[in-house]
Structure formats: C-alpha cells, structure tokens
Amino acid sequence: SQQGEEDPQALSIQEGENATMNCSYKTSINNLQWYRQNSGRGLVHLILIRSNEREKHSGRLRVTLDTSKKSSSLLITASRAADTASYFCATALNTNAGKSTFGDGTTLTVKP
Amino acid sequence: GAVVSQHPSRVICKSGTSVKIECRSLDFQATTMFWYRQFPKQSLMLMATSNEGSKATYEQGVEKDKFLINHASLTLSTLTVTSAHPEDSSFYICSARPRGRGVEAFFGQGTRLTVV
C-alpha cells in the first residue's frame, strides 16, 4: 500500500446529499492537504490540516484528522453538481520539507 | 499570497523535440520546488525535488538526462522534457515551498503536454 490511500475510489450521490471521503497513511506526517481536481485541470487547494489539529472547517467542507489511526476524512455537505471532481489527499512528511505524497484519489459525481 | 504560476498551461510538440515548462512563485521565495507527473485517471507522482542553486534530486525511475530541472533563482524552476516521445504525454505540475514557512507547499495549475 502507498502513503495516502483514499476510499472510496468512486462515489456517486444526489445533489444535496453529503459526501465523505477517507484517506489513510502509514508514516508520521507534518500536515495533510486535500485538493480538488476537475477533469483535465490543475489542483485546487481545499484545506490543510496540521498534525496537531483534529478538525478544520471551510464553508461546506469539514476535514478531520486522526493521527492515532493515521487517517483523515473530507466531508462535503449539501453537495452540488459543481462539486463533481476528483479529490486527493496529500501528506507532507516530517522529514521531507514540503514534498507531498498523493493518494489515488476519489472521483466524486454529484447528480443534479 | 503564496501563488505559484506554471507556463505554459498546454503544449503540443512533435516527437523528438524538447519542451520547457516554467514554475514561478509569484509572491514568495521558494528554496525548494517539486515536480510531479500525472497520467490520465491516475494520481500525482513525484518526479524530482528542485533546490535553488544545486542539483535536483530525482525519484527512483525518473531519468535525469531526459527531465532536466534548473532552479536558477528563488522564484523560478524549469523542467525541460528532452527528446520528447508520445509516452511523455502527461500532466506536469509543480509545487513550491516558501522559504521560512516550514513544510507547506503551494501548487501551480499544471501543464498538459501532448507529444505527437
């Protein structure tokens, strides 16, 4: 398994529902970031959560981090069709000075 | 703040030619920049770490003579894909770490390279 695995690989929901994506990792981290990528486009930074934080909010986004379980979750509430994208977690390790290791991503489809 | 700009956003080149991609930190100095590659429907894979004023550190399996990295200043790193082949077609994305701000890194918008 690689650092930064996500599940589910694909998620399809109806508009208005909540979407939860999970990310697991194996080694100690300095921070974990969540990104969105629309098809064929660049990365959009969503949230960074540091290893000493447990939860962060940004608008309809809620990120949790459980360092004891080495896992993080991204919750998107009241989803919209525009939320359709791939979502990646990326971990920055303590010893790697900013180098991020990406998970395989979750493809979210929000049906109108 | 912390804006990273990549140029070009899209490039099409002929097989055998070289292509240069620029990564600029617009409002901060970056001692370290990272180059990633993403194949369709896959995740981002780190290619190399670029340090200002020194040689880049390449990840295992990445050919340093094919993917030339130059980090000549604190705001610019370039990736040159030499003698490009169709299998080099990919999405290339850089990130930059602001000097003095710990391990946070900020990503550019990526470059879509198509080799025909």
Side-chain angles (χ1 to χ4, degrees):
Chain A
S1 299
Q2 296 181 1
Q3 181 85 340
E5 292 188 343
E6 287 147 79
D7 76 272
Q9 289 187 333
L11 180 62
S12 182
I13 59 175
Q14 292 293 137
E15 206 166 28
E17 294 180 340
N18 296 342
T20 300
M21 289 160 270
N22 302 297
C23 170
S24 61
Y25 57 92
K26 294 189 176 299
T27 62
S28 296
I29 60 171
N30 177 279
N31 65 73
L32 185 147
Q33 304 186 54
W34 283 92
Y35 293 87
R36 183 183 72 218
Q37 184 180 38
N38 289 71
S39 180
R41 307 294 292 273
L43 294 178
V44 174
H45 181 262
L46 298 177
I47 290 184
L48 178 150
I49 186 165
R50 299 184 187 279
S51 59
N52 61 351
E53 299 175 309
R54 292 297 168 257
E55 187 172 310
K56 287 190 82 169
H57 296 256
S58 177
R60 294 183 296 113
L61 306 181
R62 173 176 168 254
V63 167
T64 63
L65 178 65
D66 187 334
T67 53
S68 66
K69 295 181 179 179
K70 292 186 169 58
S71 67
S72 174
S73 67
L74 169 66
L75 169 66
I76 304 174
T77 60
S79 64
R80 305 168 181 168
D83 295 329
T84 295
S86 292
Y87 291 83
F88 295 93
C89 69
T91 54
L93 307 184
N94 284 319
T95 60
N96 279 325
K99 181 168 72 173
S100 293
T101 302
F102 281 80
D104 294 331
T106 294
T107 300
L108 173 66
T109 302
V110 181
K111 302 174 186 175
Chain B
V3 177
V4 176
S5 173
Q6 259 184 263
H7 178 80
S9 58
R10 291 179 179 271
V11 58
I12 300 173
C13 71
K14 291 185 177 180
S15 189
T17 62
S18 296
V19 174
K20 180 184 286 188
I21 303 168
E22 294 186 347
C23 179
R24 292 182 185 273
S25 55
L26 298 185
D27 50 4
F28 64 93
Q29 293 183 331
T31 52
T32 306
M33 292 185 175
F34 305 91
W35 287 95
Y36 296 81
R37 179 169 57 186
Q38 184 183 32
F39 290 108
K41 300 189 185 301
Q42 295 187 25
S43 188
L44 282 74
M45 297 299 295
L46 181 67
M47 298 175 66
T49 302
S50 168
N51 297 298
E52 187 268 337
S54 64
K55 291 183 179 180
T57 303
Y58 290 82
E59 296 298 302
Q60 192 172 12
V62 179
E63 299 175 59
K64 63 180 181 180
D65 294 330
K66 181 168 183 63
F67 298 100
L68 301 179
I69 292 172
N70 185 291
H71 193 154
S73 76
L74 286 172
T75 59
L76 174 65
S77 175
T78 60
L79 168 68
T80 301
V81 183
T82 63
S83 187
H85 291 280
E87 57 264 32
D88 298 324
S89 297
S90 188
F91 188 69
Y92 293 87
I93 189 164
C94 71
S95 70
R97 184 173 74 91
R99 185 167 62 173
R101 285 180 58 174
V103 296
E104 279 191 66
F106 299 89
F107 285 79
Q109 289 303 300
T111 297
R112 173 74 59 194
L113 170 64
T114 303
V115 184
V116 298

